[in-house]
Amino acid sequence: MLDLSHARNRMVEVHLSRRGIHDREVLEAMREVPREAFVAPGFEEFAYEDGPLPIAEGQTISQPYIVALMIEMAEIGPGDHVLEVGTGSGYAAAVMSRIVERVYTIERHAGLAETARQRFQELGYDNIEVRTGDGTKGWPDAAPFDAILVAAGGPGAPLALQEQLDVGGRLVIPVGDDPHDQRLLKVTRNGAATYSEEDFGGVRFVPLIGEQGWPESGNRIANDRPSGRARTRSLPEMIAAAAEPLPDFDDPAFGELFDRFGDRRVVLLGEASHGTSEFYRARAAITRRLIEKHGFTIVAVEADWPDAAAIDRYVRHRPPRANADPPFQRFPTWMWRNTDVAAFVDWMRHHNERIRLSSRLAGFYGLDIYNMSGSIAAVLQYLDLVDPQAAKIARERYGCLTPWQHEPSTYGRVALTSGFEKCEQAVLEQCRELLARQLDYAQQDGVDFMDATQNARLIASAERYYRIMYYGGAQSWNLRDTHMFETLEHLLEARGPNAKAVVWAHNSHIGDARYTEMGIVRDEVNIGQFCRQRFGDEAALIGLGTHSGTVAAASDWDSEMEIKRVRPSHSDSYERLCHDSGVSRFLLDIKRDDTLRERLLERRLERFIGVIYRPETELRSHYADASLAQQFDAFVWFDETVAVTPLGPEHVGTGVPDTYPFGL
């Protein structure tokens, strides 16, 4: 059973207080009102996440932060009479009823109004009156109001509502020329016929339908502004004008479009899912160009180090490790064991055949933290060869991890209840000792030494990661991305002062977290943020996205892969803007058009599909707020995409060497 009271308190602390909501009465009211009573059945577990949720009639219940912000802006208090336009679920009216003397709320959908009225009765909130009607006309017989809050976006502040304010009263309303793109406005009545306005920034609300709002068609009401004004281009039209169409992946012109990033130290290439073929093929085409024409030698991917090391041995023509299992056998196998990755790996091997200097060979490296078992085996195998006595000591040190190395997530549960500090000390000591013997070991084989030391670092990080993951929150995510960034730094250092790297990882890792819900709400960091802080303009962050198609994903962790249909992008998302541009595939260099970049600064929804995809809860499970123009330097778009093809036995053993890295 969900602990909703705890979730409610956490919502107030994390999503409201930390983001600047300070009105004590607002915070206490948000703690008191059970938001789960106002969401649609099946969405109760998401009630205290900071996001909008769908309700009947195509409407939404606003995210808690926006509800709290608007109420705080309205400066309501005990004794006030407040009008709300757009009852919706009734949640905002319920919150205000805990603060003021009386709330009047108008809803144009009779079904929503009746459902809200029933909820108020069940909760015993008897100081709320509900009416069905055109909210843009207000509630004249109950006026004047100390505050009016409008939960829908209009073309302007309706005159009827302004006139129903008491002197000193406040009207809070989203307004804008686009029914789906508004600014949050506060209008204060200063006198009988005088008003002042304050702009609180960009927001997204459903359209305000009514006589003094938008018509049902969604088009602007005629004659509400002076005629003859030049038409302003829509945001999709601006995107279409700035978009650079992409040719086929095999066309050299595809890679050439990315020459503008060839002088960077690090180019990070994202993806909006872990199972979309176009994302892998695009990253491969871009990376081939960066390697061949711009001297990049590091391909660092969101994969486990020991698994990627097997690929690296193959592409750099080194013998495979003895008795090594084929890489990428753990869930999600399709993420790296697919035909697109196999084709790119073969290209890397053939490219390296033509390279004379070992320092110019392109390498394939894993940044991630999960394969503790493979890392332990790699460290021990290396030490068996170069220092058998050290190998014996290492086996003793890693002994405390032995019961959990094949299922390390269970270690965290045990470590929280037992005296496992010695295990942390042991794995850290092993890492320090390998680094301390760097000169001696590196003389025997510098590449193998680097592999062993990185595996030792991974074990130390993984031990801590699996221990703290049971605390929840941002700490385990932050440890993982910190480890991945530090691994990238070690690779650049090892490959020399002029080394340049391409990173393949999910958008959630490579887009700057400071400008997404991750950093703003959840205090999470990521590789993209670290790269900007470390390398500045020498880092390029490039996101990839899609509107619809198919994707390879699972319904639950460690379950079977399925080919799933991707739902068309949400109407309030960046993806929908790209789709509405009418350009099927393009590169958007955000910094080339200042006007467009300014429009893309405003936060919108952005879709994130990982190895798990649940279309039935997509809005809640797979969308988050972001500022695209601050998150990325460029964005690559494919309107319709298809799922990756996982490797099976039919893809192995036909004309490929025995060292083929994906052999089954």
Side-chain angles (χ1 to χ4, degrees):
M1 181 178 293
L2 295 170
D3 182 1
L4 294 177
S5 61
H6 173 75
R8 196 178 308 142
N9 287 327
R10 183 179 182 278
M11 174 195 75
V12 172
E13 174 61 30
V14 174
H15 300 315
L16 306 184
S17 293
R18 290 189 189 177
R19 293 183 65 184
I21 303 299
H22 299 305
D23 189 308
R24 188 177 300 277
E25 290 183 326
V26 174
L27 296 175
E28 287 305 314
M30 299 286 278
R31 279 195 178 92
E32 179 181 347
V33 176
R35 191 169 187 252
E36 71 273 13
F38 294 87
V39 303
F43 285 87
E44 292 85 355
E45 65 177 297
F46 305 120
Y48 296 104
E49 295 296 324
D50 191 40
L53 293 172
I55 57 176
E57 305 291 349
Q59 306 299 297
T60 61
I61 175 174
S62 296
Q63 70 184 96
Y65 173 74
I66 288 294
V67 172
L69 175 63
M70 292 180 70
I71 296 174
E72 186 173 68
M73 287 170 59
E75 302 177 55
I76 63 176
D80 283 352
H81 285 211
V82 176
L83 172 64
E84 179 192 40
V85 176
T87 310
S89 70
Y91 176 66
V95 173
M96 289 188 290
S97 76
R98 303 301 86 199
I99 302 171
V100 302
E101 181 175 319
R102 185 155 294 276
V103 177
Y104 300 84
T105 180
I106 307 175
E107 173 55 55
R108 70 187 186 93
H109 297 288
L112 289 179
E114 181 56 33
T115 300
R117 185 181 291 109
Q118 293 174 6
R119 286 169 174 156
F120 300 148
Q121 290 175 351
E122 292 170 1
L123 292 167
Y125 298 167
D126 56 6
N127 62 335
I128 308 175
E129 293 188 36
V130 185
R131 172 181 288 185
T132 302
D134 182 353
T136 67
K137 298 179 180 180
W139 196 319
D141 50 334
F145 298 103
D146 299 289
I148 301 175
L149 287 83
V150 184
L159 183 60
L161 298 183
Q162 296 184 56
E163 291 177 341
Q164 291 174 32
L165 285 173
D166 201 351
V167 174
R170 289 78 55 196
L171 167 63
V172 179
I173 179 173
V175 299
D177 291 331
D178 186 327
H180 301 284
D181 187 11
Q182 310 104 14
R183 310 290 294 180
L184 190 56
L185 200 67
K186 178 179 178 178
V187 180
T188 302
R189 185 169 191 174
N190 301 316
T194 57
Y195 299 85
S196 60
E197 295 182 357
E198 295 177 78
D199 186 331
F200 283 77
V203 289
R204 296 186 305 277
F205 278 80
V206 296
L208 176 64
I209 306 299
E211 185 177 301
Q212 297 187 35
W214 299 101
E216 288 282 356
S217 66
N219 296 320
R220 187 174 181 83
I221 294 175
N223 300 323
D224 63 340
R225 285 214 176 168
S227 60
R229 181 179 177 181
R231 177 179 174 272
T232 302
R233 287 190 303 172
S234 69
L235 193 45
E237 289 173 328
M238 294 175 68
I239 291 172
E244 300 175 65
L246 291 169
D248 292 338
F249 295 114
D250 294 331
D251 188 329
F254 187 103
E256 290 171 8
L257 279 169
F258 296 85
D259 283 345
R260 70 196 73 188
F261 305 112
D263 61 347
R264 307 296 177 94
R265 185 84 192 277
V266 181
V267 174
L268 298 95
L269 303 175
E271 59 182 354
S273 87
H274 284 317
T276 298
S277 177
E278 281 79 2
F279 298 156
Y280 287 89
R281 296 177 69 192
R283 294 189 298 191
I286 297 166
T287 305
R288 289 197 300 266
R289 180 73 180 183
L290 294 176
I291 289 173
E292 286 186 313
K293 301 299 182 181
H294 300 285
F296 283 69
T297 57
I298 297 168
V299 181
V301 304
E302 185 188 342
D304 295 327
W305 177 274
D307 298 84
I311 306 298
D312 184 59
R313 287 178 173 273
Y314 175 73
V315 301
R316 289 206 277 171
H317 297 270
R318 293 171 56 80
R321 282 178 46 211
N323 303 316
D325 293 328
F328 306 119
Q329 297 292 314
R330 300 168 56 256
F331 176 90
T333 55
W334 67 90
M335 183 173 165
W336 297 109
R337 294 179 65 85
N338 64 62
T339 55
D340 297 319
V341 173
F344 176 68
V345 165
D346 270 343
W347 177 87
M348 287 188 71
R349 180 178 173 88
H350 294 316
H351 166 79
N352 283 338
E353 281 180 339
R354 305 188 296 270
I355 304 300
R356 299 293 184 184
L357 293 174
S358 61
S359 62
R360 304 308 303 160
L361 295 175
F364 189 92
Y365 307 95
L367 299 176
D368 219 337
I369 202 170
Y370 290 121
N371 193 350
M372 187 189 295
S373 173
S375 290
I376 290 174
V379 172
L380 295 178
Q381 185 177 60
Y382 172 75
L383 290 176
D384 280 337
L385 291 174
V386 302
D387 193 337
Q389 183 59 33
K392 181 179 179 181
I393 296 171
R395 282 185 169 85
E396 294 175 0
R397 288 173 174 161
Y398 290 151
C400 62
L401 293 175
T402 299
W404 298 281
Q405 61 177 282
H406 294 288
E407 192 55 53
S409 60
T410 60
Y411 171 76
R413 189 182 306 117
V414 176
L416 290 181
T417 57
S418 306
F420 272 72
E421 291 183 6
K422 64 178 182 180
C423 207
E424 178 185 19
Q425 294 168 358
V427 296
L428 287 174
E429 182 59 33
Q430 185 59 55
C431 183
R432 292 190 195 103
E433 191 164 311
L434 268 173
L435 292 170
R437 299 190 180 187
Q438 180 172 354
L439 291 178
D440 292 340
Y441 290 162
Q443 288 176 357
Q444 300 184 50
D445 190 321
V447 175
D448 279 347
F449 171 73
M450 178 185 169
D451 181 47
T453 53
Q454 186 54 40
N455 276 302
R457 290 188 183 106
L458 185 148
I459 297 164
S461 292
E463 185 277 334
R464 186 173 174 227
Y465 174 83
Y466 287 109
R467 179 158 42 83
I468 68 173
M469 67 182 290
Y470 282 86
Y471 290 113
Q475 195 175 5
S476 56
W477 172 279
N478 290 347
L479 173 63
R480 181 182 171 210
D481 267 56
T482 299
H483 171 86
M484 289 199 283
F485 175 70
E486 289 175 348
T487 300
L488 177 62
E489 284 191 305
H490 293 316
L491 287 168
L492 288 166
E493 180 182 1
R495 294 300 301 261
N498 297 318
K500 297 195 286 187
V502 184
V503 175
W504 292 16
H506 196 275
N507 285 347
S508 58
H509 293 293
I510 71 100
D512 193 326
R514 293 172 294 180
Y515 305 106
T516 72
E517 192 174 299
M518 295 167 52
I520 296 170
V521 177
R522 300 197 296 271
D523 295 327
E524 293 174 345
V525 296
N526 67 5
I527 307 170
Q529 173 183 341
F530 288 142
C531 282
R532 276 188 174 163
Q533 292 171 331
R534 171 68 174 82
F535 301 112
D537 290 339
E538 288 190 287
L541 281 52
I542 305 173
L544 282 76
T546 185
H547 170 65
S548 63
T550 59
V551 66
S555 296
D556 295 288
W557 188 262
D558 221 14
S559 63
E560 292 295 320
M561 187 207 82
E562 305 170 51
I563 302 299
K564 299 194 174 196
R565 172 63 56 179
V566 178
R567 297 181 65 175
S569 57
H570 193 275
S571 59
D572 291 335
S573 67
Y574 283 113
E575 288 85 356
R576 181 55 63 91
L577 293 176
C578 292
H579 171 70
D580 289 347
S581 74
V583 185
S584 62
R585 42 192 284 157
F586 59 77
L587 165 65
L588 188 67
D589 190 339
I590 296 171
K591 294 186 176 181
R592 294 184 71 187
D593 185 331
D594 290 339
T595 303
L596 175 60
R597 184 178 186 278
E598 184 176 347
R599 292 292 306 277
L600 293 176
L601 288 173
E602 296 178 6
R603 290 175 61 188
R604 294 178 181 270
L605 294 178
E606 183 182 323
R607 182 159 55 190
F608 298 86
I609 299 173
V611 295
I612 308 297
Y613 181 45
R614 295 171 179 160
E616 64 278 6
T617 61
E618 186 186 69
L619 179 60
R620 184 61 251 144
S621 311
H622 299 289
Y623 279 97
D625 278 345
S627 171
L628 192 80
Q630 294 171 294
Q631 182 187 10
F632 301 116
D633 298 302
F635 196 66
V636 176
W637 177 253
F638 300 99
D639 198 67
E640 186 82 12
T641 51
V642 298
V644 295
T645 301
L647 288 174
E650 68 275 15
H651 298 105
V652 178
T654 306
V656 295
D658 293 338
T659 54
Y660 187 74
F662 295 106
L664 298 175

